[in-house]
Amino acid sequence: EVQLLQSGGGLVQPGGSLRLSCAASGFTFSASAMIWVRQAPGKGLEWVATVSPNGDIAHYADSVKGRFTVARDNSRDTVSLQMNSLRVEDTALYYCAKGFLLGVVTPADYWGPGTLVTVSS
Amino acid sequence: DIQMTQSPSTLSASVGDRVTITCRASQGISRWLAWYQQKPGMAPKFLIYKASTLQSGVPSRFSGGGSGTEFTLTISSLQPDDFATYYCQHYNNFYVTFGQGTRVE
């Protein structure tokens, strides 16, 4: 059974940093792209970032480029999202998700439960 | 970036109704389109990929169609479990984007 266990959310002040983690099990982690998607309260889904199966390629939404960094550790089956220079508009539920297709351009077939990030003074 | 526009934003329907949601892309995306279902307080569920291929375990009352810039998600006979919000998503390039969602109530 595919499982994605998320951790690391919380309350942070504007300009602060936070690191989200996602621990995967139940599939060949090193063969799957991993994706971060967020959802602001009461809003729709917004893609944030995708990292390739071996971690050598990462793509980011323009709204987070230069502030967020996605990384993975295939020896531990984990992926992380380092978020710096956080803004009020980054407040959202952040989902970790597994890529469905081979490669980086892919929809997501399994999703974690989400972790809440609140940016507020 | 490719913009995805869904219509309607909200759809009122009854059990047994045939329901169709439309998703339009701002430029051609071939058939690189996925659909998701999300219920309140839950993570999205992957329903359809490549515009019309049902993910394993998805009931056959769901179907997808279209190519290029216009796509549809149809529920042939709405069931109580289907009241939810539905999102389309293109994956034509690295910068995947979602539609704004259609709430079926």
Side-chain angles (χ1 to χ4, degrees), chain A residues 6-7 20-22 34-38 46-51 69-71 79-82 94-97 111 115, chain B residues 98:
Chain A
Q6 298 187 232
S7 60
L20 307 183
S21 293
C22 175
M34 296 300 294
I35 302 161
W36 289 94
V37 174
R38 68 185 181 184
E46 180 188 13
W47 170 73
V48 173
T50 300
V51 61
T69 302
V70 59
V79 61
S80 63
L81 184 68
Q82 177 67 41
Y94 283 73
Y95 292 104
C96 163
W111 298 60
T115 187
Chain B
F98 292 90

Side-chain angles (χ1 to χ4, degrees), chain B residues 20-38:
Chain B
T20 297
I21 297 167
T22 298
C23 176
R24 289 185 173 87
S26 60
Q27 64 187 74
I29 58 169
S30 185
R31 292 174 59 82
W32 304 119
L33 186 97
W35 288 96
Y36 302 86
Q37 175 194 67
Q38 187 180 33

Side-chain angles (χ1 to χ4, degrees), chain A residues 45-59:
Chain A
L45 302 172
E46 180 188 13
W47 170 73
V48 173
T50 300
V51 61
S52 62
N54 64 7
D56 62 337
I57 298 172
H59 293 278

Side-chain angles (χ1 to χ4, degrees), chain B residues 7 18-19 25 27 47-48 51-53 55 58 60-63 66-67 69-70 74-75 80-81 84 87 90 95 99:
Chain B
S7 60
R18 181 181 180 87
V19 165
Q27 64 187 74
L47 296 178
I48 287 172
S52 62
T53 304
Q55 171 66 335
V58 174
S60 59
R61 62 181 179 273
F62 289 90
S63 63
S67 66
T69 61
E70 187 153 337
T74 298
I75 308 172
D81 191 49
Y87 294 92
H90 90 80
Y95 304 103

Side-chain angles (χ1 to χ4, degrees), chain B residues 37-94:
Chain B
Q37 175 194 67
Q38 187 180 33
K39 297 180 181 179
M42 303 282 288
K45 176 185 176 182
F46 182 47
L47 296 178
I48 287 172
Y49 61 98
K50 210 170 181 184
S52 62
T53 304
L54 261 60
Q55 171 66 335
S56 175
V58 174
S60 59
R61 62 181 179 273
F62 289 90
S63 63
S67 66
T69 61
E70 187 153 337
F71 302 86
T72 57
L73 173 69
T74 298
I75 308 172
S76 60
S77 178
L78 196 68
Q79 298 302 301
D81 191 49
D82 302 336
F83 290 93
T85 299
Y86 293 85
Y87 294 92
C88 62
Q89 178 205 30
H90 90 80
Y91 53 104
N92 185 66
N93 59 34
F94 296 122

